[in-house]
């Protein structure tokens, strides 16, 4: 376990930190630029976790998520949780999630949501979220936050997820 994990809200100057942490790529840069614009507009908040003073992880806390069941019920969603490979399995993701849960409680929320990919690369996240009390929301698979219906064909990628909820 890390000796010290601190979480802070990202500033506009932190775009390069997230871009570097995630490994670059033009698609990632455009996506992160859009996320920072959303933070500026007040749609979501970006948080960065430091471990021993090194930038180690980030996530987005979306108060008005795209996923309609969460949005209709006023449930915030933790999104884009990313831990740099050098810092995985040290409790940093758990610290970010716990931080967002506390923020949701402060806002008077009684539930919080998170999504998890279905591929084996998300196995660690699947186990972590379940161990922290998250449960499937019962709506089945979603692709890009829209329901997947029986008989439909979808690409198996990062947008194919299961939505999870936790009572606070």
């Amino acid at each position: 376990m890390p000796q010290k994990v601190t979480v802070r809200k990202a500033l506009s100057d932190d775009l390069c930190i997230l871009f570097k942490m995630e490994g670059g790529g033009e698609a990632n840069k455009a996506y992160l630029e859009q996320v920072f614009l959303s933070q500026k507009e007040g749609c979501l908040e970006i948080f960065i976790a430091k471990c021993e003073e090194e930038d180690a992880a980030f996530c987005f806390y979306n108060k008005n998520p795209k996923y309609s069941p969460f949005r209709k019920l006023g449930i915030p969603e933790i999104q884009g949780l990313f831990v740099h490979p050098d810092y995985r399995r040290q409790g940093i993701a758990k610290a970010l999630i716990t931080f967002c849960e506390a923020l949701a409680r402060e806002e008077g929320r009684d539930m919080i949501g998170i999504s998890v990919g279905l591929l084996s690369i998300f196995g660690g996240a699947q186990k972590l979220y379940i161990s922290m009390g998250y449960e499937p929301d019962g709506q089945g698979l979603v692709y890009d936050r829209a329901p997947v219906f029986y008989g439909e064909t979808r690409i198996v990628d990062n947008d194919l997820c299961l939505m999870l909820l936790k009572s606070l």
Side-chain angles (χ1 to χ4, degrees):
M1 291 297 258
Q3 291 181 358
K4 183 177 181 185
V5 176
T6 57
V7 179
R8 68 173 177 85
K9 186 173 178 179
L11 306 172
S12 57
D13 294 345
D14 291 326
L15 174 61
C16 60
I17 291 172
L18 273 59
F19 183 66
K20 181 180 174 188
M21 202 184 310
E22 203 172 44
E26 285 305 309
N28 285 348
K29 185 176 182 184
Y31 171 71
L32 291 171
E33 286 172 344
Q34 182 60 45
V35 170
F36 271 88
L37 180 61
S38 294
Q39 177 171 265
K40 186 176 181 180
E41 294 170 350
C43 301
L44 57 74
E45 294 179 83
I46 305 165
F47 295 105
I48 297 175
K50 286 183 170 280
C51 175
E52 300 299 325
E53 302 306 316
E54 294 292 325
D55 297 313
F58 63 86
C59 73
F60 316 133
Y61 177 81
N62 193 337
K63 297 177 187 182
N64 189 27
K66 181 177 181 180
Y67 184 54
S68 123
F70 287 3
R71 191 176 56 249
K72 285 178 186 173
L73 297 171
I75 299 170
E77 181 184 345
I78 301 168
Q79 299 175 331
L81 179 59
F82 178 82
V83 179
H84 188 278
D86 293 346
Y87 295 96
R88 291 182 181 159
R89 303 190 60 83
Q90 298 182 43
I92 298 166
K94 187 173 185 175
L96 270 172
I97 293 168
T98 301
F99 180 89
C100 290
E101 291 172 354
L103 180 59
R105 278 188 206 93
E106 287 174 18
E107 293 175 348
R109 316 281 184 128
D110 59 358
M111 298 193 88
I112 191 165
I114 196 166
S115 68
V116 68
L118 301 177
L119 296 169
S120 63
I121 60 172
F122 300 110
Q126 294 164 359
K127 289 179 179 182
L128 174 65
Y129 302 163
I130 297 302
S131 75
M132 293 184 71
Y134 287 83
E135 298 178 349
D137 74 344
Q139 300 299 309
L141 292 177
V142 298
Y143 189 85
D144 191 26
R145 302 302 194 268
V148 175
F149 297 102
Y150 184 80
E152 287 185 335
T153 301
R154 296 290 180 179
I155 295 171
V156 179
D157 61 10
N158 294 351
D159 287 326
L160 186 65
C161 318
L162 193 60
M163 304 303 291
L164 307 175
L165 280 172
K166 180 178 180 179
S167 293
L168 298 175

